[in-house]
Amino acid sequence: MKNKKRYNNGTAYLMLSPVVIMLSIFVVIPLIYAIRISFYDWSFYQDPVFVGFRNFYLVLTDDRFYTSIGVGLKFVLLVVPVQLVLAFLFAHVVRAMGRKASSFVKTSIYIPTIISGIITAIIFQIIYNFDGGVLNAIIGSFGFEKVGWLVEKQIVLFGLAIPAIWLGFGITALIMLAGLLDIPESYYEAASLEGASAIQKMFHITIPLLKNVAVYLLVTGFVGAIQQLELPLFLTNGGPSDATLLPNFYIFEHFRNDLLMGHTIAAALLLFVVLGSISAIIFRVINSEKAIDE
């Protein structure tokens, strides 16, 4: 019995070893190296100089770092709730369609997911153009004045949120649809026999059983939105007046302009701590659990 148990453990270690090796090479070792050089004034062209916690001090006393975190959280609030609600409603519509129609719609909505953020930025640059843009042409036909979607501080973050929602909508809707299809039809049939309305079925069956899917989409949507870089880089360059200074753009700006990389790496590590902490809070507040008893 003891020999058999030892054999099973060896097989498990052997199966896990590729994952552990890959994780070590691409995650653990780079992370340890990044932590090490964050304590140095480091560049590609000179020997590193140890400076202790000075890089972290510079980041934590930089107002623009806190501005970027605040802008990032506002951007998440504009993108993620809208994306989840639209995906939920759209998944319900697709679920009620026939097989051929649903296949066509699922393929169509997935297309934005495979388009790069750069191409998306170019498309929305054309849509938002002040003089020849499609959006200003539409609102102009109703007698409204043209809007500077990417230059007015009050609305520019909203203008940045729309392409972000468009980019992530397809994959979010498909995952939501998979969660809906996983709910047994017998639950709805039993509720119908009890006289439950469509609204009651949604609040007492659909939403509780989609809780784990929603937690996953909430966390991945939060991380994806706050780490957005291409859209502020190509649409607004972080402006106007830092109104679209998302955290990754703040880090990229220092990487592009600073001669020494210590500040950049310290900012990236602090952002990693912020994202990890908020993700842990989300998991803590909205506990995932087994949805259906087998």
Side-chain angles (χ1 to χ4, degrees):
M1 186 71 183
K2 187 180 289 184
N3 290 337
K4 184 179 179 182
K5 187 174 182 179
R6 190 176 300 160
Y7 171 77
N8 289 339
N9 286 341
T11 304
Y13 293 142
L14 184 64
M15 298 295 287
L16 286 172
S17 58
V19 177
V20 173
I21 292 170
M22 298 291 280
L23 195 66
S24 300
I25 292 173
F26 293 106
V27 177
V28 177
I29 294 174
L31 179 62
I32 293 172
Y33 187 68
I35 293 173
R36 178 178 174 272
I37 63 176
S38 68
F39 293 101
Y40 288 82
D41 269 344
W42 183 90
S43 81
F44 296 102
Y45 309 107
Q46 65 184 50
D47 294 331
V49 178
F50 183 76
V51 294
F53 286 93
R54 180 171 172 272
N55 289 322
F56 292 96
Y57 173 78
L58 291 175
V59 175
L60 292 173
T61 54
D62 185 358
D63 291 340
R64 295 187 79 232
F65 176 72
Y66 296 104
T67 300
S68 72
I69 297 294
V71 171
L73 293 177
K74 288 179 189 174
F75 187 68
V76 168
L77 289 176
L78 287 174
V79 172
V80 178
V82 175
Q83 206 167 59
L84 289 179
V85 171
L86 289 178
F88 180 73
L89 297 175
F90 191 81
H92 262 287
V93 173
V94 175
R95 187 191 188 198
M97 290 179 174
R99 178 174 292 183
K100 288 185 178 178
S102 65
S103 298
F104 173 76
V105 172
K106 283 187 285 187
T107 304
S108 301
I109 64 168
Y110 189 70
I111 289 174
T113 305
I114 59 177
I115 296 176
S116 76
I118 299 171
I119 301 298
T120 302
I122 294 171
I123 292 171
F124 277 84
Q125 185 81 50
I126 296 170
I127 293 173
Y128 287 148
N129 189 277
F130 186 78
D131 289 323
V134 177
L135 202 51
N136 275 343
I138 292 173
I139 65 173
S141 66
F142 289 99
F144 294 103
E145 294 184 359
K146 294 178 181 178
V147 178
W149 298 99
L150 299 178
V151 295
E152 294 185 17
K153 190 175 179 181
Q154 293 78 11
I155 61 170
V156 66
L157 199 61
F158 175 75
L160 211 65
I162 292 176
I165 292 169
W166 184 70
L167 272 173
F169 173 72
I171 188 66
T172 305
L174 290 181
I175 293 173
M176 195 76 81
L177 177 62
L180 282 176
L181 294 175
D182 203 37
I183 299 174
E185 280 294 328
S186 58
Y187 287 24
Y188 295 103
E189 292 170 0
S192 297
L193 291 175
E194 296 290 332
S197 65
I199 298 295
Q200 288 173 322
K201 291 177 189 175
M202 178 179 292
F203 281 100
H204 295 287
I205 298 175
T206 306
I207 292 178
L209 293 181
L210 277 179
K211 184 179 175 182
N212 292 342
V213 174
V215 171
Y216 169 76
L217 291 175
L218 185 62
V219 173
T220 55
F222 164 76
V223 174
I226 205 168
Q227 288 190 328
Q228 179 59 247
L229 174 63
E230 293 97 338
L231 295 178
L233 179 63
F234 289 98
L235 282 176
T236 63
N237 200 31
S241 303
D242 289 345
T244 56
L245 182 71
L246 296 180
N248 267 7
F249 186 84
Y250 169 85
I251 294 169
F252 175 76
E253 201 176 42
H254 277 277
F255 175 76
R256 183 172 55 182
N257 299 327
D258 293 355
L259 292 177
L260 303 173
M261 294 294 104
H263 187 107
T264 305
I265 295 168
L269 290 173
L270 288 172
L271 177 63
F272 169 76
V273 172
V274 171
L275 291 181
S277 301
I278 295 177
S279 299
I281 291 170
I282 293 173
F283 276 118
R284 182 71 178 174
V285 173
I286 311 174
N287 288 321
S288 60
E289 56 191 21
K290 191 175 182 181
I292 300 174
D293 295 329
E294 294 177 353

